[in-house]
């Protein structure tokens, strides 16, 4: 049966667009909702233009009450009835309580070769460390931040003179290849990791 996918975003949503564009033809999944924590997220308009239902739950009025914010997210998700959640540039930390509801059904893309550089500023940290290789990872979301079984990784070289922005610009197109490939596999029930370079 076709899997229903909700994509959670915070910003421009370029990964969301790659995922949504991939879910056509014989793909085992379809996008049913793009959900943002920022009503101004640029990705919302892109999703609407693609004919995908959208919703936003602004995290700001909830202040430090993450559980209340997540209850509002959960309500939107329950309306859309997704089988799979894809975090795609979703920049809010989720509580273990929310994660437990979706564990085994929630994926995230992170711009580093995990387990290296969990958290923020991954490109700058790879440069500071003098790495010659960098990339991105898709993993299942578990209670620990940027942890959980790795379902795919894509590698890029770090070149002399690279800045964090240059490195980010080299990694992003690989994200756009990796995430759709992993989602296709995952939606079909496969769990073997995909490695591309
Ligand atoms: C992507 O590079 C993604 O890997 C990163 O945010 C960017 C979102 O871009 N995610 C994280 O850093 C998660 N911790 P997009 O909105 O254009 O897809």
């Amino acid at each position: 049966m076709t899997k229903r996918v909700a994509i959670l975003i915070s910003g421009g949503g370029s990964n969301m667009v790659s995922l949504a564009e991939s879910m056509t033809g014989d793909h085992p999944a379809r996008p049913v909702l793009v959900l943002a924590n920022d009503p101004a997220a640029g990705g919302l308009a892109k999703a609407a233009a693609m004919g995908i239902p959208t919703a936003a739950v602004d995290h700001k009025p909830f202040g430090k009450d993450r559980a209340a914010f997540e209850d509002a997210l959960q309500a939107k998700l329950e309306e859309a009835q997704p089988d799979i959640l894809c975090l795609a540039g979703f920049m809010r930390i989720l509580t273990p309580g929310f994660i437990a509801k979706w564990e085994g059904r929630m994926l995230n893309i992170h711009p580093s070769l995990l387990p290296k550089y969990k958290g923020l500023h991954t490109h700058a940290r790879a440069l500071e460390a003098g790495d010659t290789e960098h990339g991105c990872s898709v993993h299942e979301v578990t209670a620990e931040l940027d942890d959980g079984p790795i379902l795919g990784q894509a590698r890029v070289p770090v070149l002399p003179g690279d800045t964090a922005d240059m490195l980010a610009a080299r990694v992003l197109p690989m994200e756009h290849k990796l995430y759709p490939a992993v989602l296709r596999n995952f939606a079909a029930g496969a769990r073997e990791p995909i490695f591309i370079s």
Side-chain angles (χ1 to χ4, degrees):
M1 217 178 64
T2 306
K3 294 285 197 296
R4 300 167 62 83
V5 176
I7 306 172
L8 276 66
I9 64 168
S10 297
S14 70
N15 275 289
M16 176 278 295
V17 170
S18 301
L19 289 171
E21 284 179 347
S22 74
M23 285 184 261
T24 58
D26 67 354
H27 197 289
R30 289 291 183 270
V32 296
L33 177 67
V34 171
L35 179 55
N37 65 295
D38 176 0
L44 288 173
K46 292 178 195 164
M50 295 170 80
I52 305 167
T54 64
V57 177
D58 190 351
H59 67 275
K60 288 191 208 83
F62 294 96
K64 290 194 162 74
D65 193 348
R66 285 184 192 272
F69 165 65
E70 290 172 349
D71 285 347
L73 280 185
Q74 182 70 17
K76 296 288 185 198
L77 291 169
E78 281 171 10
E79 281 171 30
Q81 293 281 308
D83 302 298
I84 297 170
L85 300 194
C86 289
L87 307 184
F90 186 71
M91 303 306 279
R92 304 304 298 168
I93 290 176
L94 296 166
T95 67
F98 181 87
I99 291 168
K101 291 192 182 101
W102 294 98
E103 198 157 341
R105 300 183 289 158
M106 179 158 50
L107 309 182
N108 179 45
I109 187 152
H110 184 73
S112 78
L113 294 173
L114 291 171
K116 283 186 164 185
Y117 315 130
K118 297 175 180 181
L120 298 175
H121 310 302
T122 57
H123 309 300
R125 288 158 68 199
L127 286 176
E128 272 161 30
D131 291 356
T132 55
E133 217 179 25
H134 184 48
C136 52
S137 307
V138 176
H139 63 96
E140 279 187 47
V141 177
T142 55
E144 204 70 33
L145 180 70
D146 297 331
D147 207 74
I150 289 174
L151 296 171
Q153 287 188 318
R155 293 166 186 274
V156 301
V158 179
L159 301 177
D162 269 351
T163 63
D165 284 349
M166 289 160 73
L167 204 43
R170 197 172 304 126
V171 171
L172 193 60
M174 297 305 278
E175 297 188 34
H176 298 161
K177 282 189 196 160
L178 180 69
Y179 210 173
V182 170
L183 176 61
R184 178 183 272 270
N185 239 20
F186 190 83
R191 295 295 180 271
E192 296 82 45
I194 293 172
F195 295 101
I196 59 179
S197 53

